[in-house]
Coordinates of all heavy atoms in Angstrom, one line a residue:
R1 N -3.0 7.7 17.1 CA -1.9 6.7 17.1 C -0.7 7.3 17.7 O -0.3 8.4 17.6 CB -1.7 6.4 15.5 CG -3.0 5.8 14.9 CD -3.2 4.4 15.5 NE -4.4 3.8 15.0 CZ -4.9 2.7 15.2 NH1 -4.1 1.7 15.8 NH2 -6.1 2.2 14.7
S2 N 0.2 6.3 18.1 CA 1.5 6.8 18.8 C 2.5 7.4 17.6 O 2.4 7.1 16.6 CB 2.2 5.6 19.4 OG 2.6 4.6 18.4
P3 N 3.2 8.2 18.1 CA 4.4 8.8 17.2 C 5.2 7.8 16.6 O 5.6 7.9 15.4 CB 5.1 9.8 18.0 CG 4.3 10.0 19.2 CD 3.3 8.9 19.4
K4 N 5.4 6.7 17.2 CA 6.3 5.6 16.7 C 5.5 4.9 15.6 O 6.2 4.7 14.5 CB 6.7 4.6 17.7 CG 7.7 3.6 17.2 CD 7.9 2.5 18.3 CE 9.0 1.5 17.9 NZ 9.2 0.3 18.8
V5 N 4.3 4.7 15.5 CA 3.6 4.1 14.5 C 3.6 5.0 13.3 O 3.7 4.6 12.2 CB 2.1 3.7 15.0 CG1 1.3 3.3 13.8 CG2 2.2 2.5 15.9
L6 N 3.2 6.3 13.6 CA 3.0 7.3 12.5 C 4.4 7.5 11.8 O 4.4 7.6 10.5 CB 2.6 8.6 13.0 CG 1.2 8.5 13.5 CD1 0.8 9.9 14.0 CD2 0.2 8.0 12.6
D7 N 5.6 7.4 12.7 CA 6.8 7.6 12.0 C 7.2 6.4 11.1 O 8.1 6.5 10.2 CB 7.9 7.7 13.1 CG 7.8 9.2 13.8 OD1 7.1 10.0 13.2 OD2 8.5 9.2 14.8
G8 N 6.7 5.3 11.3 CA 7.0 4.0 10.4 C 6.2 3.9 9.1 O 6.4 3.0 8.3
I9 N 5.2 4.9 9.0 CA 4.4 4.9 7.9 C 4.9 5.8 6.7 O 5.3 7.0 6.9 CB 2.9 5.3 8.1 CG1 2.3 4.4 9.2 CG2 2.0 5.3 6.9 CD1 0.9 4.8 9.6
Y10 N 5.0 5.2 5.5 CA 5.3 5.9 4.2 C 4.2 6.1 3.5 O 3.6 5.2 3.0 CB 6.6 5.3 3.6 CG 7.1 6.0 2.4 CD1 8.4 6.3 2.3 CD2 6.4 6.3 1.3 CE1 9.0 7.1 1.4 CE2 7.0 6.9 0.2 CZ 8.2 7.5 0.3 OH 8.9 8.1 -0.8
R11 N 3.6 7.4 3.5 CA 2.4 7.6 2.7 C 2.5 8.2 1.3 O 3.3 9.1 1.1 CB 1.5 8.7 3.5 CG 0.7 8.0 4.8 CD -0.4 7.1 4.3 NE -1.5 7.9 3.7 CZ -2.0 8.0 2.5 NH1 -1.4 7.1 1.6 NH2 -3.0 8.7 2.1
V12 N 1.7 7.6 0.4 CA 1.7 8.1 -0.9 C 0.3 8.1 -1.4 O -0.5 7.1 -1.3 CB 2.5 7.1 -2.0 CG1 2.5 7.8 -3.4 CG2 3.9 7.1 -1.5
N13 N -0.2 9.2 -1.8 CA -1.6 9.3 -2.2 C -2.0 8.6 -3.6 O -3.0 7.9 -3.6 CB -2.0 10.9 -2.4 CG -2.3 11.5 -1.0 OD1 -2.8 10.7 -0.1 ND2 -2.2 12.8 -1.0
R14 N -1.0 8.7 -4.5 CA -1.3 8.1 -5.8 C 0.0 7.7 -6.5 O 1.0 8.6 -6.5 CB -2.2 9.0 -6.7 CG -2.6 8.4 -8.0 CD -3.5 9.3 -8.7 NE -4.0 8.8 -10.0 CZ -3.3 8.6 -11.1 NH1 -2.0 9.1 -11.1 NH2 -3.8 8.1 -12.2
I15 N 0.0 6.6 -7.1 CA 1.1 6.1 -8.1 C 0.3 5.6 -9.2 O -0.6 4.9 -9.2 CB 2.1 5.1 -7.6 CG1 2.9 5.8 -6.4 CG2 2.8 4.4 -8.5 CD1 4.0 4.8 -5.9
D16 N 0.8 6.0 -10.6 CA 0.2 5.4 -11.8 C 0.3 4.0 -11.8 O 1.3 3.5 -11.3 CB 0.9 6.0 -12.9 CG 0.7 7.5 -13.2 OD1 -0.3 8.0 -12.6 OD2 1.4 8.1 -14.0
N17 N -0.8 3.3 -12.1 CA -0.9 1.9 -12.0 C 0.3 1.0 -12.5 O 0.8 0.2 -11.9 CB -2.3 1.4 -12.6 CG -2.5 0.1 -12.2 OD1 -2.7 -0.9 -13.1 ND2 -2.7 -0.3 -11.1
P18 N 0.8 1.4 -13.8 CA 1.9 0.6 -14.2 C 3.1 0.7 -13.4 O 4.0 -0.2 -13.4 CB 2.0 1.2 -15.7 CG 0.7 1.8 -16.0 CD 0.3 2.3 -14.8
Q19 N 3.3 1.8 -12.7 CA 4.4 2.1 -11.8 C 4.4 1.0 -10.6 O 5.5 0.8 -10.0 CB 4.6 3.5 -11.3 CG 4.6 4.5 -12.2 CD 6.1 4.7 -12.7 OE1 6.9 4.8 -11.9 NE2 6.2 4.9 -13.9
L20 N 3.4 0.4 -10.4 CA 3.3 -0.5 -9.2 C 4.1 -1.8 -9.4 O 4.5 -2.5 -8.5 CB 1.8 -0.8 -8.9 CG 1.0 0.3 -8.4 CD1 -0.5 -0.1 -8.3 CD2 1.4 0.6 -6.9
K21 N 4.5 -2.1 -10.6 CA 5.3 -3.2 -11.0 C 6.7 -3.1 -10.3 O 7.2 -4.1 -10.0 CB 5.5 -3.4 -12.5 CG 6.3 -2.3 -13.2 CD 6.2 -2.5 -14.7 CE 7.4 -3.1 -15.2 NZ 7.5 -3.3 -16.7
Y22 N 7.2 -1.9 -9.9 CA 8.4 -1.7 -9.3 C 8.2 -1.6 -7.8 O 9.3 -1.8 -7.0 CB 9.0 -0.4 -9.7 CG 9.1 -0.3 -11.3 CD1 8.4 0.7 -11.9 CD2 10.1 -1.1 -11.9 CE1 8.6 0.9 -13.3 CE2 10.2 -0.9 -13.3 CZ 9.5 0.0 -13.9 OH 9.8 0.1 -15.3
I23 N 7.0 -1.7 -7.3 CA 6.8 -1.5 -5.9 C 6.5 -2.8 -5.2 O 7.0 -3.2 -4.2 CB 5.6 -0.5 -5.6 CG1 6.0 0.8 -6.1 CG2 5.4 -0.3 -4.2 CD1 7.3 1.4 -5.8
Y24 N 5.5 -3.6 -5.8 CA 5.0 -4.8 -5.2 C 6.2 -5.8 -4.8 O 6.1 -6.4 -3.7 CB 4.1 -5.5 -6.0 CG 2.7 -5.1 -6.1 CD1 2.1 -4.3 -7.1 CD2 1.7 -5.3 -4.9 CE1 0.7 -3.8 -7.1 CE2 0.5 -4.8 -5.0 CZ 0.1 -4.1 -5.9 OH -1.3 -3.6 -5.9
P25 N 7.2 -6.0 -5.7 CA 8.2 -7.0 -5.4 C 9.1 -6.7 -4.2 O 9.8 -7.5 -3.6 CB 9.0 -7.0 -6.8 CG 8.2 -6.3 -7.8 CD 7.3 -5.4 -7.1
L26 N 9.0 -5.3 -3.8 CA 9.9 -4.9 -2.7 C 9.2 -5.1 -1.3 O 9.9 -4.8 -0.3 CB 10.2 -3.4 -2.9 CG 11.1 -3.1 -4.1 CD1 11.4 -1.7 -4.3 CD2 12.5 -4.0 -4.2
A27 N 8.1 -5.5 -1.4 CA 7.3 -5.7 -0.1 C 7.4 -7.1 0.5 O 7.4 -8.2 -0.2 CB 5.8 -5.4 -0.3
K28 N 7.7 -7.2 1.9 CA 7.7 -8.5 2.5 C 6.3 -9.2 2.4 O 6.2 -10.5 2.5 CB 8.1 -8.2 4.0 CG 9.6 -7.9 4.0 CD 10.5 -8.9 3.4 CE 12.0 -8.4 3.6 NZ 12.8 -9.4 2.9
A29 N 5.2 -8.4 2.5 CA 3.8 -8.9 2.5 C 2.9 -7.7 1.9 O 3.2 -6.5 2.2 CB 3.4 -9.4 3.9
F30 N 1.9 -8.1 1.3 CA 0.9 -7.2 1.0 C -0.4 -7.5 1.7 O -0.8 -8.7 1.8 CB 0.5 -7.4 -0.6 CG -0.7 -6.6 -1.0 CD1 -0.7 -5.2 -1.2 CD2 -2.0 -7.1 -1.2 CE1 -1.8 -4.4 -1.5 CE2 -3.0 -6.4 -1.5 CZ -3.0 -5.0 -1.7
L31 N -1.0 -6.6 2.4 CA -2.2 -6.8 3.2 C -3.4 -6.2 2.7 O -3.4 -5.0 2.2 CB -1.9 -6.2 4.7 CG -1.0 -6.9 5.6 CD1 0.3 -7.0 5.1 CD2 -1.0 -6.2 7.0
L32 N -4.6 -7.0 2.7 CA -5.9 -6.5 2.2 C -6.9 -6.9 3.2 O -7.5 -8.0 3.2 CB -6.2 -6.9 0.9 CG -7.5 -6.4 0.3 CD1 -7.3 -5.1 -0.2 CD2 -7.9 -7.3 -1.0
P33 N -7.3 -6.0 4.2 CA -8.1 -6.5 5.3 C -9.7 -6.0 5.1 O -10.3 -5.7 6.0 CB -7.5 -5.7 6.5 CG -7.0 -4.4 6.0 CD -6.6 -4.7 4.4
S34 N -10.0 -5.8 3.8 CA -11.3 -5.3 3.6 C -12.5 -6.1 4.3 O -12.5 -7.3 4.3 CB -11.6 -5.3 2.1 OG -10.6 -4.6 1.4
K35 N -13.4 -5.4 4.7 CA -14.6 -5.9 5.4 C -15.3 -6.7 4.2 O -16.1 -7.7 4.4 CB -15.5 -4.9 6.2 CG -14.7 -4.2 7.4 CD -15.6 -3.1 8.0 CE -14.7 -2.5 9.1 NZ -15.7 -1.5 9.6
L36 N -15.5 -5.8 3.1 CA -16.2 -6.3 2.0 C -15.4 -6.0 0.7 O -15.0 -4.8 0.7 CB -17.7 -5.7 1.9 CG -18.7 -6.2 2.9 CD1 -19.9 -5.2 2.9 CD2 -19.1 -7.6 2.8
E37 N -15.3 -6.9 -0.2 CA -14.5 -6.7 -1.4 C -15.0 -7.4 -2.5 O -15.0 -8.7 -2.4 CB -13.0 -6.9 -1.2 CG -12.1 -6.4 -2.3 CD -11.8 -5.1 -2.2 OE1 -11.3 -4.5 -1.1 OE2 -12.0 -4.3 -3.2
I38 N -15.6 -6.8 -3.5 CA -16.2 -7.5 -4.7 C -15.3 -8.5 -5.3 O -15.6 -9.7 -5.5 CB -16.9 -6.6 -5.6 CG1 -18.0 -5.9 -5.2 CG2 -17.2 -7.3 -6.9 CD1 -18.5 -4.7 -6.0
F39 N -14.1 -8.0 -5.7 CA -13.0 -9.0 -6.0 C -11.6 -8.6 -5.4 O -10.9 -9.3 -4.6 CB -13.0 -9.2 -7.4 CG -12.1 -10.4 -7.9 CD1 -12.8 -11.6 -7.9 CD2 -10.9 -10.4 -8.0 CE1 -12.2 -12.7 -8.4 CE2 -10.1 -11.5 -8.5 CZ -10.8 -12.7 -8.6
G40 N -11.4 -7.2 -5.8 CA -10.0 -6.7 -5.2 C -8.9 -7.0 -6.3 O -8.1 -8.0 -6.3

């Protein structure tokens, strides 16, 4: 991948699930491109 793409990514390996209540509302969009997903 290009350096520009990689520079734009903020990576976090893990956040405790209840903490996500503070993260989701700050996103312009949430993406889920799974090929197969039982529910999600």
Side-chain angles (χ1 to χ4, degrees):
R1 298 289 171 172
S2 71
K4 185 178 180 182
V5 167
L6 298 180
D7 286 346
I9 298 173
Y10 189 113
R11 279 288 288 116
V12 180
N13 278 332
R14 185 181 182 278
I15 286 183
D16 288 344
N17 193 243
Q19 297 280 315
L20 290 172
K21 66 187 264 185
Y22 303 115
I23 304 305
Y24 281 108
L26 299 176
K28 293 297 182 183
F30 172 79
L31 280 64
L32 186 70
S34 301
K35 298 175 184 177
L36 295 168
E37 189 76 56
I38 289 175
F39 199 88

